[in-house]
Amino acid sequence: MKTYTNVKDLGNIEEAIKEALEVKKNKFGYKHLGENKTLLMVFFNSSLRTRLSTQKAGINLGMNTMVLDINQGAWKLETERGVVMDGDKSEHLLEAIPVMGNYCDIIGVRAFAQFENKEDDYQEKILNQFIQYSGKPVFSMEAATGHPLQAFADLITIEEYKKTDHPKVVMTWAPHPKALPQAVPNSFADFMNEANVDFVITHPEGYELDPKFVRGARIEYDQDKALEGADFVYAKNWAAYQDPNYGKILSKDMSWTVTKEKMALTNNAYFMHCLPVRRNMIVSDDVIESPQSIVIQEAANREISAQTVIKRMLENL
Ligand code: AN0
Ligand code: CP
């Protein structure tokens, strides 16, 4: 594997799940693969889970790991070509990327959507420059349009907890005070569309996601109806994707919060969220604290999804 940005990079999804479950049973069985290899993780944005789980995955594989926070201690980077660099940015991404590439064997990049220019975000301008100019395998640690390590961990978690062969999985929008990217819901849809599940997306009107990720998935604007018979409820906020509202908050409707009453409509569903989550905006205290909440187990699987992806990259170096 040379790049990891979406579900297709995994190839056969059943085999990828199987491999991930093998990795989970034998985390330290692949230590030889990473000997004298260096993982560089580059963050343009904050992180708790991705930072720790991906670093742990590299350590499990015997790698040396380095973390660079671009906004804490590195030079401020210009990302546009042709700019006269007389402002506060000391270095251009076009030098910084190949320099970083020299010091490592595999690179993970976190670079969220900036909501300034939809085209730049949806062309994955920053991530693609890493792919093009680093000379090294690159994986997304949440870029502008996707968070494939999260969605892979989500899929592994559903595989572990499902009680039927073809569970109903409902991804529901929920309110949030800040404008959040579409990366997590995009990737979740990307993965669920390839998985053996009955996938339904529910959100208020105006929150339609990019059809490239939604593909054939069922959209139900009535949240209560969508939740009926659900085996998994996957909550997430995102800002609007559609023009002219790209990156805007259109609703903070608290009737979309996942509460006990909402969960009572489901088939005793498990509750999932990628975290970090705002309690009593996205989900009530009692739901996230209930035995049906598997958010901690889901986060634990981030180590496994990262290790499976990095393992495949190491095998292909
Ligand atoms: C980010 C997002 O919604 O994309 C990261 C989630 C993994 N969340 C926040 O910024 C709160
Ligand atoms: N779920 C997730 O990616 O969390 P962090 O933003 O803390 O890495």
Side-chain angles (χ1 to χ4, degrees):
M1 193 188 281
K2 281 271 180 244
T3 57
Y4 181 64
T5 66
N6 62 62
V7 71
K8 287 203 179 65
D9 292 325
L10 285 179
N12 183 302
I13 195 93
E14 303 293 333
E15 277 170 27
I17 295 171
K18 218 176 115 208
E19 188 175 333
L21 295 174
E22 277 162 21
V23 163
K24 190 165 183 170
K25 273 193 269 168
N26 186 20
K27 280 190 211 174
F28 306 110
Y30 308 92
K31 250 191 147 75
H32 58 283
L33 289 174
E35 197 187 1
N36 295 331
K37 298 284 187 286
T38 299
L39 171 66
L40 172 63
M41 299 161 60
V42 181
F43 287 91
F44 288 83
N45 313 92
S46 305
S47 165
L48 186 154
R49 277 142 293 274
T50 305
R51 174 184 300 264
L52 296 179
S53 63
T54 312
Q55 200 166 356
K56 179 65 163 63
I59 294 168
N60 293 348
L61 288 161
M63 300 183 83
N64 301 305
T65 63
M66 302 193 299
V67 181
L68 181 68
D69 288 294
I70 294 290
N71 298 321
Q72 281 169 24
W75 301 108
K76 274 201 175 167
L77 294 179
E78 177 58 61
T79 56
E80 294 299 316
R81 259 189 100 251
V83 171
V84 177
M85 287 172 59
D86 61 355
D88 63 340
K89 293 175 178 162
S90 307
E91 177 156 27
H92 203 287
L93 200 56
L94 288 171
E95 280 78 53
I97 290 175
V99 167
M100 290 189 266
N102 276 333
Y103 303 142
C104 64
D105 300 283
I106 295 176
I107 307 184
V109 180
R110 167 162 285 202
F112 287 179
Q114 291 170 334
F115 286 156
E116 281 163 15
N117 180 320
K118 184 175 179 176
E119 263 190 14
D120 283 357
D121 286 345
Y122 271 72
Q123 284 170 4
E124 288 288 8
K125 222 170 157 183
I126 293 184
L127 182 67
N128 281 329
Q129 291 192 70
F130 274 87
I131 292 170
Q132 202 176 342
Y133 300 118
S134 70
K136 297 290 148 79
V138 171
F139 62 93
S140 164
M141 300 196 298
E142 184 172 341
T145 67
H147 194 359
L149 286 177
Q150 180 65 50
F152 188 16
D154 298 334
L155 178 63
I156 297 164
T157 310
I158 289 170
E159 184 66 23
E160 289 176 323
Y161 281 86
K162 71 182 186 188
K163 293 177 186 145
T164 57
D165 279 349
H166 194 69
K168 179 174 178 183
V169 178
V170 179
M171 177 168 81
T172 180
W173 179 94
H176 193 279
K178 289 189 173 170
L180 296 185
Q182 296 100 25
V184 170
N186 283 345
S187 280
F188 190 69
D190 193 32
F191 273 67
M192 288 305 112
N193 282 324
E194 300 306 314
N196 184 21
V197 300
D198 173 18
F199 183 48
V200 180
I201 304 174
T202 182
H203 55 69
E205 284 191 42
Y207 278 99
E208 290 77 12
L209 292 162
D210 184 348
K212 183 177 141 203
F213 299 101
V214 173
R215 303 201 277 278
R218 187 146 54 95
I219 315 278
E220 170 57 67
Y221 292 105
D222 181 335
Q223 190 195 38
D224 287 2
K225 233 188 209 172
L227 291 174
E228 268 170 35
D231 297 300
F232 293 89
V233 174
Y234 189 92
K236 185 72 185 84
N237 172 270
W238 62 89
Y241 165 75
Q242 302 288 346
D243 294 324
N245 294 320
Y246 179 68
K248 294 206 178 113
I249 296 176
L250 306 179
S251 166
K252 289 185 185 171
D253 184 351
M254 298 289 277
S255 75
W256 283 75
T257 303
V258 179
T259 59
K260 240 176 153 175
E261 291 68 35
K262 296 281 180 180
M263 291 299 281
L265 301 169
T266 71
N267 181 27
N268 196 25
Y270 288 110
F271 175 80
M272 298 178 72
H273 188 281
C274 63
L275 307 182
V277 72
R278 293 199 185 221
R279 285 180 175 219
N280 306 310
M281 290 289 305
I282 303 280
V283 58
S284 64
D285 288 312
D286 49 10
V287 169
I288 199 163
E289 289 169 4
S290 76
Q292 290 310 106
S293 168
I294 52 172
V295 295
I296 307 300
Q297 297 91 323
E298 181 184 356
N301 278 332
R302 289 294 308 277
E303 179 184 346
I304 307 308
S305 63
Q307 191 173 336
T308 307
V309 166
I310 299 167
K311 169 178 169 284
R312 285 186 173 193
M313 288 186 163
L314 285 171
E315 284 164 345
N316 194 42
L317 278 183

